Amino acid sequence: MKTKAVRLYGKNDLRLEEFDLPKIKDEEILAKVVCDSICMSSYKATHEADIHKRVPRDVEYNPVIIGHEFSGEIIEVGKKWQEKFAAGDKFSIQPGINDPDTPLGIMSAPGYSYRFIGGDATYVVIPEEVMRNDCLLRYTGKGYYPASLSEPLSCVIGAMHANYHTTAGSYVHHPEIRDGGNMAILAGVGPMGLAAINYAIHRSDRQPKLMIVTDIDQTRLDRAESLYSPDEAARNGIELRYVNTGNVDNPAELLLSFTGGKGYDDVFVFAPVAPIIEQADAVLGVDGCLNFFAGPAKTDFKAPFNFYNVHYARTHIVGTSGGNKDDMVEALKMMSNGLDPSGLITHIGGLNAVIDTTMNLPSIPGGKKLIYTHIDMPLTAISDFASLAVGSPLYAELHRLCAANNGLWSVEAEDYLLANA
């Protein structure tokens, strides 16, 4: 079968090409990709290429398909897996395989490391190592984009599970955020920050009592508040505040005031900016855990940290790079039960928009850029559908459907796009 895909050949060298997929083996699966959400990690892989830990050193001669936040439909199942999967099943992929027997060891991942699987393609071959590690995950909910966005949601799920707290006088570590504690999400209204807010509000097993979300862009803060309001959080037992720290002389002092000076049990940093890390360090309470979520592009990135508090107040730091399979299963379950991640999505495009979008991702405002791989469509902000509606029945109907959903993408809009674009 032929596929059309965006492949990486080297630093800043992406090419949209059509080529033949190999016939699947008994332990492989042939699948149709429906949509892929473009991640900043793809931008980093594109700009680093063969020095990136997940990209093969010989990518110049064996190019890889990019994109790792994707979902679709199974077309053909190899003999080994026919009792577990069937043609027509909807799926998502956990790209973090963590298997030492893969080509790049535990760093191998679809969307970075493989010639025949990645999200920015029309059809892919799901290899044996994905299958043997149970990283092909069935999705039973409505639509396709929720399954695509289950991967970024799994990353924030994993981050919250990775936090830990201690008991004074013992060496026991307790995993997870502190139930009923104080949480701060700094630089937290980008796509991943929004996913974290959505998850923290709607998870059922444990939640913070106070959640402060900061940024320096009031427009982004206002959008976040319209999507995940303090009233909605209050109905789930959380006091939620959105705070613009851009014009505050001493942001740490302001954030501490919300806790009566006690500080925060869990602080998440969603931008690789040294002053934000210093701010996070300054607001940690006793036994506070700082989660450095945002991956820096510079290999020598550093920031000061208060080791007096490490010694006397048991403050500590963790970092995660993606979720694991269990995190993604949790995300898919929440999606199947109705959790809608559409608030993360601000742009829609076709496969033809992938290269420019990936290469220039940091300079494109808004949230997640969702690509539908079987259509041609320029990357288009959902907010621009109205102005494009004149003379275009497609954009006119997409605008109507999104306007009926508070200006957000929806399963109905997706269905219409797939049927008519």
Side-chain angles (χ1 to χ4, degrees):
M1 175 177 283
K2 287 190 179 295
T3 188
K4 187 180 287 186
V6 175
R7 296 199 285 184
L8 176 66
Y9 280 82
K11 292 180 178 63
N12 303 317
D13 187 358
L14 292 175
R15 307 177 195 177
L16 176 58
E17 301 174 317
E18 188 173 51
F19 53 94
D20 288 317
L21 291 173
K23 182 176 175 59
I24 66 166
K25 302 173 185 177
D26 288 349
E27 62 272 13
E28 296 177 331
I29 284 180
L30 177 69
K32 173 184 177 181
V33 177
V34 174
C35 59
D36 176 65
S37 173
I38 296 181
C39 177
M40 186 63 74
S41 295
S42 293
Y43 166 83
K44 294 173 186 174
T46 298
H47 285 261
E48 294 177 10
D50 59 349
I51 67 170
H52 192 282
K53 291 184 182 297
R54 294 190 185 275
V55 176
R57 304 290 82 89
D58 65 347
V59 67
E60 178 182 359
Y61 306 103
N62 292 294
V64 296
I65 302 175
I66 65 166
H68 60 276
E69 300 178 357
F70 61 102
S71 65
E73 180 181 326
I74 291 175
I75 302 298
E76 182 183 350
V77 182
K79 290 181 181 178
K80 184 175 180 178
W81 305 106
Q82 288 178 356
E83 292 185 4
K84 188 171 182 179
F85 294 98
D89 287 348
K90 292 196 291 186
F91 73 89
S92 187
I93 293 277
Q94 166 52 260
I97 301 175
N98 296 320
D99 183 340
D101 294 328
T102 57
L104 290 177
I106 63 171
M107 297 308 295
S108 286
Y112 301 90
S113 316
Y114 290 92
R115 297 178 63 191
F116 302 121
I117 182 173
D120 292 315
T122 51
Y123 296 92
V124 297
V125 174
I126 301 173
E128 192 269 339
E129 47 260 51
V130 169
M131 301 304 302
R132 73 168 178 255
N133 287 283
D134 291 328
C135 289
L136 176 65
L137 304 174
R138 187 181 286 105
Y139 171 63
T140 58
K142 295 180 179 179
Y144 290 93
Y145 74 84
S148 177
L149 292 174
S150 67
E151 197 282 332
L153 180 59
S154 78
C155 295
V156 300
I157 291 174
M160 293 198 184
H161 292 338
N163 270 31
Y164 72 92
H165 296 281
T166 64
T167 300
S170 80
Y171 302 108
V172 177
H173 288 188
H174 306 282
E176 266 287 3
I177 64 169
R178 189 179 298 283
D179 193 24
N182 298 328
M183 177 187 291
I185 301 177
L186 308 186
V189 291
M192 300 306 292
L194 293 176
I197 298 165
N198 194 8
Y199 176 67
I201 290 175
H202 294 106
R203 66 182 300 190
S204 59
D205 55 334
R206 62 176 59 221
Q207 293 172 315
K209 174 186 67 178
L210 171 69
M211 183 162 64
I212 305 296
V213 180
T214 75
D215 205 86
I216 58 173
D217 186 324
Q218 191 59 49
T219 299
R220 282 157 52 105
L221 283 162
D222 290 343
R223 181 175 185 271
E225 186 167 357
S226 72
L227 296 172
Y228 310 112
S229 70
D231 287 344
E232 180 184 5
R235 289 193 291 272
N236 289 277
I238 300 170
E239 180 187 351
L240 171 61
R241 296 190 184 202
Y242 292 94
V243 179
N244 189 331
T245 56
N247 298 314
V248 177
D249 292 334
N250 191 331
E253 184 178 273
L254 175 63
L255 296 181
L256 285 170
S257 71
F258 298 130
T259 70
K262 177 184 176 183
Y264 293 83
D265 301 290
D266 300 281
V267 180
F268 292 84
V269 175
F270 276 83
V273 178
I276 297 178
I277 296 172
E278 293 183 66
Q279 184 185 120
D281 180 24
V283 301
L284 287 173
V286 173
D287 190 39
C289 185
L290 189 160
N291 189 302
F292 181 56
F293 183 91
K298 295 182 178 180
T299 57
D300 61 348
F301 178 78
K302 298 179 177 116
F305 200 75
N306 187 326
F307 280 88
Y308 182 91
N309 288 339
V310 171
H311 188 78
Y312 289 106
R314 310 195 314 277
T315 61
H316 46 275
I317 187 167
V318 299
T320 50
S321 179
N324 61 25
K325 183 186 70 177
D326 291 339
D327 300 325
M328 199 151 173
V329 168
E330 182 179 347
L332 287 166
K333 182 178 180 180
M334 293 182 76
M335 303 289 193
S336 296
N337 289 336
L339 183 73
D340 190 349
S342 60
L344 279 66
I345 303 165
T346 57
H347 292 69
I348 305 296
L351 190 61
N352 57 306
V354 168
I355 293 177
D356 285 344
T357 302
T358 303
M359 295 282 288
N360 300 291
L361 193 57
S363 63
I364 304 174
K368 280 290 186 183
K369 284 70 183 176
L370 186 64
I371 298 297
Y372 287 90
T373 64
H374 287 261
I375 69 170
D376 282 341
M377 179 181 179
L379 187 72
T380 308
I382 294 172
S383 59
D384 289 340
F385 286 170
S387 62
L388 296 169
V390 178
S392 172
L394 176 72
Y395 284 117
E397 183 62 11
L398 288 176
H399 167 61
R400 187 189 71 79
L401 291 168
C402 292
N405 192 40
N406 195 30
L408 302 178
W409 196 241
S410 65
V411 171
E412 291 75 20
E414 177 181 81
D415 288 344
Y416 179 80
L417 180 75
L418 293 174
N420 294 280

